[in-house]
Amino acid sequence: MRGSWFHAVLGRKSRRAFDGLSSRNTTLQYLARNPIPTFLSNGERKLFNATTQVKIKRGGSVIHGIGVSPCRFVNGLSLSALSSFLTHNAANFCSLPENEARIEPMGSVVLPCPGDLSSEVKEVRVAADDSDCDEPRSQPKAITRESIDFTKIPIEKLPSVLIIGRPNVGKSALFNRLIRRREALVYNTPNDHVTRDIRDGIAKLGDLRFRVLDSAGLEAEASSGSVLGRTAAMTRYVLAKAHLALFLIDARDGLQPLDLDVGKWLRKHAPGMKTIVVMNKAELLDNVSGSLGAAAGEAYTLGFGDPIALSAETGFGLAELSEALRPLLEDFVLQNIDVLEEDTCDDSSYLDENIDSKLPLQLAIVGRPNVGKSTLLNALIQEDRVLVGPEAGLTRDSIRVEFQYEGRDVYLVDTAGWLERTKQDKGPSSLSIVQSRKNLMRAHVVALVLDADEIAKAKRSMKHAEVVIARRAVEEGRSLVIVVNKMDLLSGKQHERVVNIVPEEIQSVIPQVTGLPVVFVSALEGKGRMAVMRQVVDTYEKWCCRLPTSRLNRWLRKVMSRHSWKDQSAQPKIKYFTQVKARPPTFVAFVSGKVQLSDTDLRFLTKSLKEDFDLGGIPLRIMQRTVPRRGEGEPKKNTRPAGKTTQRMVN
C-alpha cells in the first residue's frame, strides 16, 4: 500500500515486503492477524508500535491505528469499507501537523465518511482481543430440532432407552427389532425367564439413533436373595443411568396385576423419568371391533400418558413409536449440546493424532457351566455387569461388553456354559448352545476357563467338553488362552500340584498347538486380572504378526540344513517360503519337482517356526504349492504356470 500512513515508518527492505502484498485488503487482513509484522527490524518494530497508537484528529474525524492487537469489527462494518476509507484519506494521514498528534490508548472510532459510504458506515468499534488466536472466532451456528443428526453423535453419548416390563411381554423381541439383528434370545416360556442379564445395542429407528437396553422380566415382589431379586437389583442399577423408559405390556392378555406392580416400582425408583407405555402384540387389535380402544383404556390406568400399540414380531406401530420418541430424544440433545460439541471436537483431534490406532480385540470367555466365566468378566471390567451366583447355568444370553485396556478397545463376550447338544435339549438351553458356538467363531482370542477345585479333586485337567472347545477353537484358527479359576479354594500342596501338572496335561491333550499359555487366577478375589489381559494381548499380537519373506527364506536355509533327511535324493526342494496372511499366520512353501513335503516335514517346519519366531500358543497353517520344473510341460514364459496347492493342517 504505497502512500499509506504506516508506509513512512518502514525501511527499504520492509517497504518491499509490504508492497509485495496483492491488494489493500490483503494488507489490512495481514495487519489484523499480525499486530507487529515479523519481517520488521527491532528499531522498526518500536517505531511501528508507537505510530499505530497515535490518535489523529483532523477536521472532526477521529481514527485509531489498527494493528496493535488482533481485532474484530462490530456494528456491521466490513473490512472492505474500512480499506476504501483509508485509501481515500491516506495522503491526509501522512501529512498531519506535529502539534495535532498525541498518543492515547485505543478506543471507539467515529468517522464522518464520504457520501458514497454514509449509508454503510456510521460507527466503528474496534475491540482489542488479548487472546493469542490468529483469526477472530466465528460464532457457532444455532442448533435447532431440524438440524439435529443423530448419526453424527458419538455412540457413547447417545441417549439410553430402557425396555422394562413383566416377564414374557416381548421385551427381547422389541430389542431385536430395534437393533435389526437377532441378538437376544427369544422363546415363549410363560413360567420361566429367558433373559437374565442386561443387553445393550444401538437402535436404528428411521433416522433416530439411541442406545437401547434389554432388561430381565421384573417381579417387584421377588425376594432379595433369589435370582429374580438379583435381576431386579441389576435393573434398578441400570435404570438410574437411563434417560427414557419403554414400559411394555401384553395387549393380548390385557392389564395384569404384575403390570400394576411394575408401574409402582417405576414411580418409586425413577419418579422423574419420562416413561412411554407400549402395548406389544397388538397386530390383531383394531378400532372396528373396539379391542384396540379397550386395551388403550386399560393402559391409561397406569398413569403414564397415551399408550402406543405395536407388534415387535411384525414391525407394526414402529412409526408411531418413532414419533413419540423423537421430541424426547431431541430435548435430550438440546439440553446436552455443550457436552456433545466438546466431545465431538476432542474425538476428532484424537482421531487425527491416532489415525493408525489399534484395532478392537474380540475376546470370548467360554467353558463348562459354573466355572466362573461371569465372575471373571466382572473382574476384568471391574463392574457388576452380568448376573453371578452359585447356581449352574445362570447365564443364557451371550453378553457383549466393551471396555478399554491400555488404550485398546476390547469387546468381551460372556457365553453360556458349554454343553453337548442332544436331541432332548429344547428351549432356551439349546439356543444358548448355538449362540455360544457362534461367538466362538467370531472371536479373535478364546479364553477357556477351567475349575481348579474340580481339577484337584478329579486329578485331571480337562474334561471331554473342554477338550472339544479347545480343539474347535484351534480348528477355527483362533488363538487360545487357558485360564484356571478358583485358585483361592486350594491349599498349599494342592495349589503347587495344580500349577505344575495342568500345563503338561493340556499339552498332551491338545498336541495341535504347542506352548499354550496358562494363567492361574481367582476371579472372586480379583487376583490375576492383569495377568489375564497381558497374556491375551500378547497372544493376539502373535496371532496378527507378519514376517517378511526375506527373513523367512534366510531362516529356511538354516532350518533345512540342520534337518536330518533319510534319503537325500528324495529330499524336497523348497524354492522359497512366504507368509500369505495373518489371523492366523498362514505360510506357503513353493516346492519344485514332484516330491512334496510329508506330514513329518510340515510338523518340523511348524515347530521350528514357533521356536525361532516365538509363535507358541497360536495355530499355524502351512500350505505347499508345487511348481513344475523347466522342460516338464512348462507353458510359455508369458503365461502363468498352473501350480497345485495343497493345504495341510498340522494335527
Side-chain angles (χ1 to χ4, degrees):
M1 275 181 66
R2 298 183 180 274
S4 61
W5 61 274
F6 54 83
H7 197 271
V9 302
L10 304 179
R12 181 180 300 175
K13 183 177 179 181
S14 301
R15 288 183 186 181
R16 292 176 182 175
F18 266 115
D19 293 341
L21 299 177
S22 59
S23 63
R24 290 180 295 273
N25 291 344
T26 308
T27 305
L28 290 174
Q29 293 172 6
Y30 177 83
L31 290 175
R33 292 193 301 267
N34 302 274
I36 299 179
T38 56
F39 51 79
L40 297 181
S41 62
N42 293 333
E44 290 174 343
R45 285 171 183 256
K46 296 179 181 179
L47 183 60
F48 186 87
N49 190 21
T51 305
T52 52
Q53 298 184 47
V54 174
K55 181 179 180 180
I56 303 173
K57 294 184 178 180
R58 180 178 176 83
S61 300
V62 180
I63 186 164
H64 282 248
I66 61 174
V68 178
S69 60
C71 55
R72 60 178 180 268
F73 299 94
V74 196
N75 293 346
L77 177 65
S78 62
L79 189 60
S80 60
L82 183 60
S83 173
S84 302
F85 182 77
L86 290 175
T87 304
H88 288 299
N89 299 274
N92 296 331
F93 295 157
C94 296
S95 60
L96 291 177
E98 184 178 358
N99 57 359
E100 293 187 7
R102 56 192 177 93
I103 298 177
E104 289 185 5
M106 292 187 67
S108 61
V109 181
V110 181
L111 302 175
C113 301
D116 56 341
L117 296 177
S118 59
S119 60
E120 180 180 357
V121 182
K122 291 186 177 179
E123 181 179 357
V124 183
R125 297 184 183 274
V126 182
D129 188 1
D130 296 334
S131 62
D132 296 332
C133 61
D134 293 339
E135 296 181 0
R137 296 182 180 179
S138 59
Q139 295 295 331
K141 298 181 179 179
I143 297 180
T144 61
R145 293 180 180 271
E146 292 76 13
S147 63
I148 296 177
D149 188 0
F150 289 91
T151 59
K152 296 182 180 180
I153 300 178
I155 295 178
E156 62 274 7
K157 299 301 178 182
L158 287 173
S160 301
V161 179
L162 177 65
I163 303 176
I164 195 170
R166 64 179 175 87
N168 200 34
V169 293
K171 298 183 296 297
S172 297
L174 180 59
F175 175 84
N176 291 341
R177 174 67 63 176
L178 291 176
I179 67 172
R180 301 182 184 180
R181 293 192 311 273
R182 293 185 178 181
E183 291 288 343
L185 295 181
V186 178
Y187 198 81
N188 188 12
T189 54
N191 299 324
D192 195 6
H193 297 259
V194 178
T195 304
R196 291 175 176 172
D197 294 298
I198 303 296
R199 176 186 288 275
D200 62 342
I202 304 301
K204 301 176 182 179
L205 192 58
D207 58 347
L208 295 181
R209 297 292 184 273
F210 55 91
R211 295 184 61 193
V212 59
L213 306 173
D214 181 25
S215 63
L218 186 62
E219 291 189 8
E221 302 299 330
S223 59
S224 59
S226 62
V227 175
L228 296 179
R230 280 177 279 168
T231 57
M234 187 174 296
T235 304
R236 182 171 61 252
Y237 173 75
V238 176
L239 181 64
K241 297 183 178 180
H243 305 103
L244 302 173
L246 295 180
F247 183 11
L248 257 67
I249 62 175
D250 193 341
R252 297 176 187 172
D253 298 339
L255 199 62
Q256 301 294 322
L258 280 179
D259 296 327
L260 299 176
D261 295 340
V262 174
K264 295 178 182 178
W265 188 90
L266 268 175
R267 289 191 183 90
K268 178 181 178 181
H269 295 93
M273 178 174 292
K274 178 61 179 177
T275 304
I276 300 176
V277 178
V278 178
M279 299 187 300
N280 193 22
K281 307 178 185 180
E283 64 273 7
L284 299 179
L285 303 182
D286 53 18
N287 290 323
V288 178
S289 61
S291 57
L292 182 60
E298 291 182 349
Y300 269 112
T301 59
L302 293 173
F304 292 105
D306 297 338
I308 298 174
L310 60 78
S311 173
E313 186 176 357
T314 62
F316 164 76
L318 291 181
E320 289 76 7
L321 179 62
S322 176
E323 294 177 0
L325 286 174
R326 180 178 296 277
L328 301 177
L329 299 178
E330 290 176 350
D331 290 341
F332 171 81
V333 174
L334 294 176
Q335 293 173 2
N336 300 272
I337 190 62
D338 296 336
V339 179
L340 295 177
E341 286 181 351
E342 292 177 1
D343 293 334
T344 304
C345 296
D346 296 341
D347 293 342
S348 61
S349 61
Y350 177 79
L351 292 175
D352 293 339
E353 296 177 359
N354 301 276
I355 194 169
D356 296 329
S357 60
K358 302 175 183 178
L359 295 176
L361 190 155
Q362 306 275 351
L363 174 61
I365 302 177
V366 298
R368 294 186 302 104
N370 205 26
V371 295
K373 301 183 297 298
S374 300
T375 308
L376 179 61
L377 183 142
N378 290 339
L380 291 177
I381 65 176
Q382 295 183 324
E383 180 184 352
D384 293 335
R385 179 64 177 78
V386 293
L387 190 65
V388 296
E391 299 87 357
L394 196 59
T395 303
R396 285 180 175 173
D397 276 296
S398 294
I399 306 301
R400 188 186 188 194
V401 182
E402 179 182 0
F403 73 105
Q404 290 275 338
Y405 175 74
E406 294 182 354
R408 183 195 297 269
D409 292 332
V410 179
Y411 294 102
L412 189 58
V413 181
D414 178 27
T415 61
W418 190 286
L419 294 173
E420 290 297 327
R421 189 178 181 184
T422 61
K423 295 182 180 179
Q424 289 76 19
D425 290 335
K426 294 182 180 180
S429 60
S430 61
L431 299 178
S432 300
I433 297 172
V434 175
Q435 198 175 60
S436 299
R437 293 179 179 179
K438 288 182 180 179
N439 285 281
L440 175 64
M441 299 175 65
R442 296 174 183 172
H444 299 154
V445 182
V446 177
L448 178 58
V449 183
L450 307 180
D451 192 340
D453 190 28
E454 293 184 358
I455 294 174
K457 293 178 181 178
K459 297 183 179 181
R460 54 182 302 184
S461 299
M462 302 177 68
K463 295 186 178 181
H464 177 69
E466 296 164 341
V467 175
V468 170
I469 297 173
R471 290 181 177 176
R472 179 162 295 186
V474 172
E475 291 173 0
E476 293 292 337
R478 305 294 180 256
S479 52
L480 186 63
V481 176
I482 307 297
V483 180
V484 183
N485 192 19
K486 303 183 181 180
M487 293 296 293
D488 54 306
L489 300 179
L490 303 182
S491 60
K493 294 183 179 180
Q494 290 179 336
H495 186 281
E496 183 179 357
R497 177 178 173 275
V498 169
V499 170
N500 295 332
I501 292 179
V502 169
E504 299 177 359
E505 292 187 358
I506 290 176
Q507 190 59 57
S508 62
V509 173
I510 313 174
Q512 296 97 324
V513 181
T514 58
L516 280 175
V518 182
V519 185
F520 301 91
V521 302
S522 173
L524 186 62
E525 298 180 354
K527 296 180 179 179
R529 178 180 66 89
M530 300 303 297
V532 172
M533 290 307 305
R534 283 194 296 267
Q535 191 62 61
V536 165
V537 172
D538 182 64
T539 305
Y540 176 72
E541 291 177 352
K542 293 180 182 179
W543 190 63
C544 298
C545 74
R546 283 186 175 272
L547 301 175
T549 303
S550 58
R551 185 181 178 188
L552 286 173
N553 284 281
R554 289 194 298 268
W555 164 84
L556 181 64
R557 288 193 293 268
K558 297 179 181 179
V559 169
M560 298 298 287
S561 62
R562 70 171 182 252
H563 184 52
S564 59
W565 304 94
K566 294 182 179 179
D567 188 1
Q568 295 293 334
S569 60
Q571 174 182 350
K573 297 181 179 180
I574 304 177
K575 298 186 66 175
Y576 64 95
F577 196 78
T578 183
Q579 182 179 357
V580 294
K581 67 180 293 291
R583 305 160 64 102
T586 304
F587 304 89
V588 175
F590 290 85
V591 183
S592 62
K594 298 181 180 180
V595 181
Q596 295 186 354
L597 295 173
S598 62
D599 293 338
T600 304
D601 301 335
L602 292 175
R603 285 194 295 269
F604 169 73
L605 291 176
T606 303
K607 183 179 179 181
S608 301
L609 275 172
K610 293 184 176 181
E611 292 178 353
D612 297 341
F613 294 104
D614 191 20
L615 298 178
I618 61 174
L620 300 181
R621 294 174 177 175
I622 298 180
M623 302 183 295
Q624 54 181 321
R625 176 173 294 176
T626 303
V627 180
R629 296 178 179 177
R630 293 183 179 274
E632 296 181 359
E634 183 179 1
K636 296 180 181 181
K637 295 183 179 180
N638 295 334
T639 60
R640 186 177 180 179
K644 181 180 179 181
T645 303
T646 305
Q647 180 178 353
R648 297 184 180 181
M649 290 294 298
V650 183
N651 297 325

